Amino acid sequence: MLTAAWIGGALAVLNALPVSALTSDRQQPIQLEADRAELDEAHGVSVYTGNVVVIQGTMRLSGDKVTVYTVDGTPQRMVTQGNPAKFRQRPDGKSDDVIATARELEHLIEQDLLKLRGDALVVQAGDRFRGDRMEYNIATDKLDARTDQGSDTRVMITLQPRNQASGGTDN
């Protein structure tokens, strides 16, 4: 049974999560839905399972399981697992969301880094990047895609033509 103190602790952890994208996202309330939630304040770990959805502003994270790791009450990383786990967010200065899917998404919060493992895909403005593993720096908009050793798959990239009349830099 969930107690008011437990729910308050879970919300405190979630409210402290910084997100990178639209700067205004940080001032938005966080909405969380899950079939189950467990919070271990002594070890700085909270685990949400069963159709988990986390929304804050333009950021939407969903998966079968989301684990939040904190140090001194400050979230350091979130690990989302699913089939697939999904991440969506609108970066500052962009008109299109960044969409990322993988079997596992690890968000290193302070580094603004998203690590994707297993059938990784990142899409923005129609551009598609696919590989076994990816690292996407949200703040600098840099992506590193690779395949696992021994894999017979290759990194696949699809780039859309840019509209030269509009400057073609909105990606």
Side-chain angles (χ1 to χ4, degrees):
M1 175 179 240
L2 298 178
T3 65
W6 186 91
I7 292 171
L11 291 176
V13 167
L14 287 172
N15 279 327
L17 291 174
V19 290
S20 301
L22 283 180
T23 307
S24 63
D25 281 354
R26 293 182 191 101
Q27 285 76 45
Q28 301 298 315
I30 294 173
Q31 300 172 19
L32 175 102
E33 295 179 19
D35 293 338
R36 181 178 171 100
E38 299 175 36
L39 180 65
D40 183 347
E41 291 183 48
H43 293 100
V45 178
S46 55
V47 180
Y48 307 91
T49 54
N51 299 313
V52 183
V53 178
V54 179
I55 299 171
Q56 184 180 32
T58 67
M59 191 275 298
R60 180 181 175 96
L61 183 66
S62 62
D64 300 323
K65 179 179 178 182
V66 175
T67 306
V68 180
Y69 299 89
T70 62
V71 174
D72 297 326
T74 302
Q76 302 297 306
R77 66 186 178 111
M78 289 190 306
V79 177
T80 305
Q81 298 167 322
N83 194 20
K86 300 175 184 176
F87 174 90
R88 173 186 294 257
Q89 195 167 39
R90 175 75 47 93
D92 276 332
K94 304 286 184 174
S95 61
D96 294 300
D97 290 348
V98 169
I99 301 167
T101 63
R103 286 193 303 265
E104 181 177 278
L105 301 170
E106 180 178 10
H107 186 189
L108 301 174
I109 296 166
E110 289 185 15
Q111 293 93 337
D112 245 351
L113 187 65
L114 192 61
K115 293 183 176 186
L116 299 90
R117 298 177 195 97
D119 298 323
L121 172 68
V122 173
V123 178
Q124 185 179 29
D127 294 343
R128 301 172 65 86
F129 305 88
R130 184 178 293 279
D132 292 330
R133 296 179 177 268
M134 289 189 206
E135 289 188 6
Y136 176 63
N137 187 307
I138 300 165
T140 63
D141 203 23
K142 291 184 180 179
L143 182 97
D144 178 14
R146 63 191 80 141
T147 59
D148 289 329
Q149 283 189 340
S151 173
D152 58 355
T153 62
R154 299 183 63 173
V155 172
M156 298 177 65
I157 301 167
T158 303
L159 301 174
Q160 298 299 318
R162 299 294 179 248
N163 181 350
Q164 297 302 316
S166 68
T169 60
D170 190 24
N171 183 0

